[in-house]
Structure formats: structure tokens, C-alpha cells
């Protein structure tokens, strides 16, 4: 090869080397730029993405706030809930482990089938629930035999505890796992062990009681298996809720009600705080947390005494003669009767071709408003209602808290009904004078709750528009507004109610208190529930309603307040199918008021005269 050829080859090689070097430089330059971009510019973002692959952030179930009575006694609390779980990858023989576990805590066949199905369907490192709500003894026994229970682990969570059980179930309510309809995208609701309020205060105050979820940072591998816990942030504990209820008084009230299908409400007559609200029979609220069996649900729903219903706020009853104080106030306020007026009762009132009977066949003779109340004379209130008219009676009823939208801080409270002419016409029917006559004695279309009846008597006793509530007032409570009813009119009605109980000829002598220095005022009531045919009455042995089947007997009612001269406690009692208010409801109300005065949660008796005599009546 000549010199010239060698020079040409050398030039070609040099050019190729330069091209290759340039290409390499471009490639490495690009890689360097990319590396700089990844590490320096977007390094933080990629670090976060890597951490997300390595770190799993999981929410922890919030701890629910407590519910306390007025003395600070816990009536809804939390307690540890021990759960047994099995981790399949930690045992070579799942079924053998379950057999050994069953020797300590038996596993029903249905639960065993569920456990084995979940073990097959889930990853082997994911725990499967074996048992929930283990007792302390069961948990301890499992821990003692842990060497023989490969794969079994005990975890602890929180469960709701109701120390007073059925006694406060209707007011406090209960919690249960969220249902499909509750899952609104909130991840907290899907947490294991999560419970939400389903009734009572638990439902009404759910937002305050629930609290806020915590968060735990876990290191996981590519398969999602937890390696270790990195960090934990506890959530915010739910708020404690203080109720106005006296838990011990509540128990006393239920003991008085005994086996009756009944309800009773005791109010602070000055500010409306509910001191006791009993509905009988009741139920165990803890069963909803643990899961109600089908047999238990059938037993509850088929019970004609309706244990799941809070009758105090949802039960609707014709008030009967307990409505007569309202009619009296309506007549006095409208001027259709005066304190001096008397109405003659011959035992009936004729209206056209229709005769309305008084409960006393021979009549009561001439009565003024106080005598009309003391004797619960039907004719007196037939005539008062006829003169006053249904619209004015309804207006007074509304003023006393009857038939208006409930303000009680509990879910499900019903409005009831105080009928008017307009209401009847909106139903496409005409109101007639006979309807007014029936409402005059608390029958007809009237439908009220025991809570409303207790509100009515508290307003009559205090003269103020108290509003019932179950949450204890924070600090100084606002003084209720006056009713706008003259003290003269209220005084006459109070006097009539005093004579019902304390006059030997009143309709409720069985309600008289045997309590030093304290007198009580009250009013009886009984209401027909179902129309009784002549054939059914004859089959039952005559006119005595006590011989009728239970569901055909009248309801028995009684309203009262005490002390008479310094009203502080107001009470209403409804005994379903109790027959007569004087015989069935009045003695229960007396015993409830006696229990209330004995405990005296408001300190109302501190200023009684030292000699134990009652103050002068107003």
C-alpha cells in the first residue's frame, strides 16, 4: 500500500472516530441530562413514589366518645374487644389449628366453613377472623395455649358497653356496623370494628361522638405483606356527651312500671331537662353491636308490647281526661267560661238527636271550673268545648306544647295531632260540632305522645314555655319565655288538679303523696282504644272492661307535678290497656314522683319548712 493510500485510510478512520465519539458524547450527554433531571429536578417526586410503594398508610378506627348521665356516670362506654384471628402462612395445618382452638373456644360449623373459605380466597398472610367479642377468660386461655395454636393471634379493639343495659336503651340508643347504604365514600366507615349510631342519642349525636380516625405508617414488601410499623398517629377521641338523665332514677321508674306495657317521663318543670324517660318493655342494646340473631329479632318484632319502640316519644295516644286542663285554659283564656260560671251536669248532654254521656250516670250537678276538674266531669267539658270551639282549643293545646313539631334532641319524636277545622277540611271532610264535643274530653282525633303530656303539665305548673331536652345544659340555661296565660287562669287549673289528688272526693285519691311537706297536683285519664262490639262485651262477661281481652281495654293515663307550691318535677304516665287512669296509672305516677322526690336530683326540697308542713296553696 502506498503512502497516499495510508493517508486516505487514516483520514477515514479519524472521521469515523470523531463521528462515533460525537455520537457517544451525545448519548452520554443525554443520559447525564436525564439523570440530572431525574435526580435533581424530579428527585423528590420519585422519592415519594418509591416511598408509596414501600410505605402503606392505613387509617385506624376512631374511639367513640362516652355518654354520661347528669352525675357523670357513664351510661355508654367503651371496653376492649378481644378478637382471635388466624394467619394461614404461620401454620402448616389450618384445620388442625382450628381443631385445637375448638377445644378451648368452640367454633360453630357455620363459622368454621366461613374461616376456611376466607383462608382459601385471601392471601395467606392476611389475618382471618376466628372469634369476635372474646371474654377475658377465653382470651387468657388462648394465650396460655398459644404454643399449641400455630397461626392464632389475639388482637384487641374497642366495643360499645352499656352498663345499665335495657334501662336506658331507648334514650341512649345503640351502635351497629355501617350497612351498605351508609358507605358514602368515607373510608373511615369501612374500617374493621367501625360502629355508628343507630338510635337514640347515639344516632342524634353521631357527629360529636364518632371522633376522628388515626393513621399508622406500615412498611410493606412488593407482595403487600407488612414488614414493620414505622409511625403511628392517634386519632381524636370523640366528645363525651352529658345527658340530663339521672340513671338511678331511670331504674327506679322502670321498677315502678314493672311488667306493664307503659311509658313515663319525668321533667324539670322549670327548664325542660328530661330526668327520666322510660319505655317498657325494653331491649338489650349491646346485642346490636355483636349482631342480633334471627330468633331474637323475631321475638322482638312479634311482641305485641313492642320492646323496640320508644313509646315516650313515638307512641301516639288519645289523651282522654288529661286533656281537660287544656280545654279549661282555652275556655278561660277565650272568655267563654269564667271563674264564677257553673255548668249543670245531669249525667248527659243532648246535642240534637245525639246524647253524650258523662262517666257518672247520675251526673255531678252544678260545677265551676275547679269542680269540673276535680270531678273530671265530662258534661262540664262537653259544654266548655262547645262554647269555645275547636280552633281555640287547638291554639291553646299548641301553646302548651301539644301537636306541634317536637324540639326534643332525640330522633324519631312524633308531632301528634291536635285537630282543627282546617285540618279536617284538608282531609276532604267537614268538621262538625260532635267532633268538638269529643275533643272536649280528650277523645276523637287527638293523638299525643307521653313526652308532650309531660311538657303540657310542666308548662301549666311553671307558666313558662319550657322545651324538653335530654342534653345537659352547659352553664346557665336560658330562662324559658312566659306562656302568655294569665296567672288567674293557671291558678284555677292548678287548684282543680290539686283537688283531684288531695280532696277526698277527687278522682285520684290513690295518687296522694305520703311524703313529708310535699303535695302533688294531677289529672287522671282513660281512653277507649278499639270499638267493642256487644257480642265481644257479652262474651267477656258484661260491661267491666277488665274482663275484655288485653288489647281491647282502655289506656290509662295520669299527669302530675310536685311540689304543688314550688313546681319542679313534672310527670306523665301512660299504661297501655291499663283500663282506668285512677286505678292503674295514678298509683304508678305517685310512686314515680315519690322516687323522684326521694332522690331529688334538682335539690328542690332544700327549702321546705323545717316543721315538714306544706306551704300555703296558691
Amino acid at each position: 500500500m502506498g503512502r497516499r493510500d495510508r493517508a486516505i485510510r487514516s483520514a477515514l478512520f479519524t472521521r469515523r472516530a470523531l463521528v462515533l465519539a460525537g455520537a457517544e458524547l451525545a448519548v452520554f450527554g443525554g443520559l447525564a441530562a436525564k439523570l440530572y433531571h431525574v435526580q435533581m429536578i424530579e428527585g423528590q417526586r420519585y422519592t415519594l413514589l418509591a416511598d408509596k410503594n414501600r410505605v402503606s398508610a392505613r387509617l385506624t378506627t376512631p374511639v367513640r366518645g362516652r355518654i354520661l348521665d347528669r352525675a357523670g356516670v357513664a351510661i355508654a362506654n367503651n371496653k376492649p374487644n378481644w378478637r382471635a384471628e388466624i394467619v394461614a402462612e404461620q401454620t402448616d395445618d389450618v384445620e388442625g389449628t382450628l381443631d385445637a382452638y375448638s377445644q378451648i373456644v368452640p367454633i360453630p360449623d357455620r363459622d368454621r366453613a366461613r374461616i376456611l373459605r376466607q383462608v382459601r380466597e385471601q392471601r395467606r398472610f392476611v389475618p382471618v377472623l376466628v372469634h369476635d367479642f372474646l371474654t377475658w377468660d377465653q382470651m387468657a386461655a388462648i394465650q396460655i395455649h398459644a404454643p399449641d395454636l400455630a397461626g392464632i393471634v389475639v388482637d384487641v379493639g374497642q366495643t360499645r358497653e352499656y352498663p345499665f343495659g335495657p334501662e336506658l336503651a331507648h334514650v341512649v340508643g345503640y351502635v351497629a356496623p355501617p350497612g351498605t347504604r351508609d358507605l358514602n365514600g368515607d373510608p373511615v366507615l369501612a374500617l374493621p370494628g367501625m360502629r355508628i349510631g343507630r338510635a337514640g342519642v347515639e344516632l342524634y349525636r353521631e357527629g360529636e361522638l364518632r371522633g376522628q380516625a388515626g393513621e399508622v405508617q406500615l412498611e410493606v414488601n412488593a407482595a403487600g405483606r407488612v414488614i414493620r410499623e414505622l409511625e403511628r398517629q392517634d386519632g381524636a377521641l370523640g366528645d363525651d356527651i352529658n345527658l340530663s338523665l339521672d340513671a338511678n332514677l331511670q331504674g327506679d321508674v322502670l321498677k315502678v312500671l314493672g311488667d306493664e306495657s307503659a311509658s313515663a317521663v319525668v321533667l324539670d318543670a322549670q327548664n325542660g331537662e328530661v330526668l327520666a324517660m322510660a319505655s317498657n318493655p325494653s331491649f338489650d342494646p349491646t346485642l346490636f353491636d355483636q349482631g342480633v340473631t334471627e330468633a331474637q329479632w323475631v321475638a322482638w318484632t312479634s311482641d305485641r308490647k313492642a320492646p323496640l319502640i320508644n313509646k315516650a316519644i313515638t307512641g301516639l295516644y288519645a289523651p282522654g281526661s288529661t286533656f281537660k286542663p287544656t280545654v279549661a285554659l282555652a275556655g278561660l283564656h277565650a272568655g267563654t267560661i269564667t271563674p264564677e260560671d257553673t255548668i249543670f251536669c245531669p249525667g248527659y248532654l243532648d246535642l240534637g238527636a245525639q246524647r253524650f254521656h258523662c262517666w257518672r250516670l247520675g251526673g255531678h250537678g252544678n260545677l265551676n271550673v275547679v269542680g269540673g276538674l276535680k270531678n273530671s266531669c265530662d258534661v262540664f267539658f262537653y259544654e266548655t268545648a262547645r262554647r269555645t270551639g275547636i280552633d281555640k282549643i287547638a291554639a291553646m293545646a299548641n301553646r302548651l306544647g301539644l301537636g306541634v313539631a317536637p324540639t326534643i334532641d332525640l330522633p324519631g319524636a312524633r308531632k301528634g295531632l291536635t285537630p282543627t277545622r282546617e285540618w279536617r277540611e284538608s282531609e276532604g271532610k267537614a268538621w262538625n260540632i260532635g267532633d268538638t264535643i269529643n275533643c272536649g274530653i280528650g277523645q276523637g282525633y287527638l293523638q299525643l305522645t307521653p313526652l308532650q303530656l309531660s311538657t303540657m303539665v310542666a308548662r301549666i305548673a311553671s307558666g313558662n314555655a319550657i322545651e324538653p331536652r335530654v342534653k345537659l345544659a352547659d352553664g346557665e340555661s336560658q330562662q324559658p319565655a312566659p306562656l302568655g296565660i294569665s296567672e288567674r287562669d293557671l291558678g284555677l287549673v292548678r287548684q282543680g288538679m290539686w283537688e283531684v289528688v288531695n280532696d277526698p272526693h277527687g278522682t285520684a285519691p290513690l295518687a296522694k303523696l305520703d311524703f313529708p311537706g310535699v303535695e302533688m297536683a294531677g289529672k287522671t285519664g282513660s281512653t277507649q282504644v278499639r270499638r267493642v262490639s256487644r257480642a265481644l262485651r257479652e262474651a267477656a262477661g258484661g260491661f267491666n272492661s277488665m274482663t275484655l281481652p288485653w288489647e281491647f281495654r282502655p289506656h290509662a293515663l295520669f299527669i302530675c307535678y310536685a311540689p304543688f307550691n314550688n313546681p319542679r318535677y313534672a310527670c306523665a304516665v301512660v299504661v297501655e290497656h291499663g283500663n282506668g287512669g285512677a286505678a292503674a296509672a295514678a298509683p304508678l305516677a305517685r310512686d314515680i314522683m315519690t322516687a323522684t322526690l326521694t332522690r331529688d336530683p334538682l335539690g328542690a326540697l332544700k327549702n321546705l319548712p323545717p316543721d315538714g308542713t306544706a306551704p300555703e296553696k296558691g
Side-chain angles (χ1 to χ4, degrees):
M1 179 182 300
R3 183 179 298 174
R4 189 166 177 273
D5 292 336
R6 285 198 298 269
I8 293 172
R9 278 186 78 179
S10 177
L12 289 172
F13 176 80
T14 303
R15 262 198 313 274
R16 288 174 182 168
L18 289 173
V19 171
L20 287 173
E24 289 176 357
L25 182 62
V27 170
F28 282 111
L31 289 173
K34 186 65 175 178
L35 186 61
Y36 177 84
H37 181 80
V38 168
Q39 290 187 335
M40 304 303 293
I41 298 177
E42 294 195 358
Q44 186 174 3
R45 184 172 72 87
Y46 284 111
T47 299
L48 291 174
L49 290 174
D51 284 342
K52 287 182 180 179
N53 289 331
R54 181 180 66 87
V55 178
S56 175
R58 301 181 186 178
L59 295 174
T60 59
T61 306
V63 178
R64 202 167 178 84
R66 301 176 300 164
I67 301 176
L68 312 171
D69 83 341
R70 67 184 303 111
V73 176
I75 53 183
N77 208 345
N78 303 306
K79 67 176 182 179
N81 170 28
W82 289 287
R83 298 187 292 263
E85 301 170 341
I86 186 168
V87 182
E89 74 170 1
Q90 296 178 7
T91 177
D92 296 328
D93 183 4
V94 171
E95 295 208 35
T97 296
L98 294 178
D99 289 339
Y101 179 94
S102 294
Q103 300 301 312
I104 304 168
V105 184
I107 303 176
D109 292 341
R110 182 176 178 180
D111 286 346
R112 186 185 180 97
R114 171 190 57 81
I115 295 166
L116 293 174
R117 184 182 69 252
Q118 290 181 331
V119 167
R120 290 192 303 268
E121 293 174 352
Q122 296 180 174
R123 295 185 178 186
R124 292 181 61 81
F125 60 80
V126 176
V128 172
L129 178 67
V130 176
H131 258 137
D132 212 354
F133 302 105
L134 292 170
T135 66
W136 172 268
D137 291 339
Q138 289 172 333
M139 184 275 295
I142 293 169
Q143 297 285 39
I144 290 171
H145 292 86
D148 302 321
L149 300 174
I152 294 291
V153 294
V154 174
D155 191 19
V156 62
Q158 296 284 330
T159 189
R160 205 62 163 161
E161 179 183 38
Y162 299 101
F164 291 85
E167 290 183 4
L168 288 157
H170 291 106
V171 181
V172 175
Y174 54 86
V175 296
T180 304
R181 289 181 296 178
D182 301 308
L183 300 177
N184 55 5
D186 185 350
V188 175
L189 295 178
L191 293 174
M194 185 64 193
R195 300 291 187 267
I196 60 174
R198 289 295 192 190
V201 175
E202 292 276 30
L203 172 59
Y204 195 88
R205 300 286 177 182
E206 171 66 21
E208 299 162 70
L209 288 166
R210 183 185 297 183
Q212 296 178 358
E215 185 178 282
V216 59
Q217 300 280 339
L218 300 172
E219 184 178 359
V220 296
N221 63 16
R225 182 182 289 108
V226 175
I227 305 301
R228 61 192 174 102
E229 181 178 312
L230 300 175
E231 184 182 357
R232 178 180 292 268
Q233 294 181 351
D234 294 329
L237 180 68
D239 294 340
D240 287 346
I241 303 295
N242 289 82
L243 302 187
S244 58
L245 293 171
D246 184 310
N248 292 318
L249 177 60
Q250 179 85 1
D252 293 341
V253 172
L254 281 164
K255 287 178 183 176
V256 171
L257 296 182
D259 295 329
E260 297 284 1
S261 179
S263 56
V265 180
V266 181
L267 294 182
D268 180 338
Q270 297 299 324
N271 67 14
E273 289 182 347
V274 177
L275 303 173
M277 179 184 286
S279 184
N280 201 44
S282 189
F283 61 93
D284 184 354
T286 60
L287 296 180
F288 285 91
D289 190 0
Q290 302 177 14
V292 177
T293 65
E294 184 177 354
Q296 179 64 77
W297 183 255
V298 170
W300 281 337
T301 54
S302 61
D303 189 338
R304 62 181 180 175
K305 293 185 178 181
L308 296 177
I309 302 300
N310 185 354
K311 299 167 187 172
I313 62 173
T314 63
L316 293 177
Y317 308 90
S321 294
T322 61
F323 191 66
K324 288 175 180 176
T326 298
V327 178
L329 283 173
L332 290 166
H333 191 71
T336 54
I337 60 170
T338 68
E340 296 77 25
D341 283 347
T342 60
I343 294 173
F344 180 71
C345 169
Y348 58 86
L349 174 71
D350 285 333
L351 187 66
Q354 191 171 5
R355 172 165 289 187
F356 296 86
H357 292 277
C358 184
W359 67 266
R360 187 173 184 177
L361 296 180
H364 291 95
N366 283 308
L367 295 173
N368 60 14
V369 65
V370 172
L373 287 166
K374 180 185 82 170
N375 293 281
S376 196
C377 175
D378 292 335
V379 168
F380 184 93
F381 290 97
Y382 290 151
E383 178 60 20
T384 300
R386 186 191 68 78
R387 296 181 186 180
T388 307
I390 190 59
D391 290 333
K392 291 180 180 177
I393 293 173
M396 179 57 67
N398 295 161
R399 185 176 297 202
L400 294 175
L402 306 177
V404 294
T407 60
I408 185 74
D409 45 342
L410 285 173
R414 300 176 73 177
K415 178 181 177 180
L417 174 64
T418 51
T420 61
R421 190 179 302 275
E422 181 183 4
W423 165 82
R424 186 63 172 159
E425 291 172 352
S426 71
E427 298 284 310
K429 299 178 182 179
W431 184 269
N432 60 62
I433 189 63
D435 296 326
T436 302
I437 298 297
N438 275 330
C439 284
I441 61 167
Q443 297 279 180
Y445 301 109
L446 282 162
Q447 293 283 289
L448 304 172
T449 68
L451 176 66
Q452 290 178 320
L453 291 173
S454 64
T455 302
M456 174 190 74
V457 71
R459 290 189 176 191
I460 291 173
S462 67
N464 295 321
I466 66 100
E467 296 285 358
R469 64 174 185 271
V470 298
K471 189 174 186 292
L472 195 63
D474 297 326
E476 292 294 325
S477 58
Q478 187 175 358
Q479 179 67 22
L483 283 172
I485 302 173
S486 75
E487 192 60 30
R488 182 207 69 171
D489 295 348
L490 288 169
L492 288 168
V493 170
R494 293 168 186 158
Q495 184 67 27
M497 293 175 67
W498 180 89
E499 295 192 12
V500 165
V501 175
N502 299 283
D503 190 291
H505 303 292
T507 55
L510 292 177
K512 187 173 182 179
L513 290 177
D514 183 17
F515 198 94
V518 181
E519 294 176 320
M520 181 172 78
K523 185 69 191 76
T524 56
S526 59
T527 60
Q528 186 174 341
V529 179
R530 299 170 66 175
R531 185 176 183 84
V532 181
S533 66
R534 176 175 295 181
L536 180 59
R537 194 174 293 282
E538 290 176 352
F543 187 77
N544 185 1
S545 59
M546 286 301 292
T547 61
L548 291 170
W550 179 80
E551 62 270 19
F552 282 87
R553 298 174 192 171
H555 293 326
L557 304 91
F558 196 79
I559 57 172
C560 57
Y561 68 88
F564 175 68
N565 288 89
N566 184 26
R568 199 61 198 272
Y569 300 110
C571 177
V573 177
V574 176
V575 182
E576 293 184 332
H577 311 291
N579 199 44
L588 300 183
R590 175 202 62 208
D591 292 346
I592 289 171
M593 188 61 76
T594 300
T596 304
L597 294 166
T598 300
R599 292 198 179 275
D600 194 21
L602 303 176
L605 306 185
K606 292 179 180 178
N607 298 321
L608 280 179
D611 61 359
T613 59
E616 283 295 314
K617 297 185 292 295

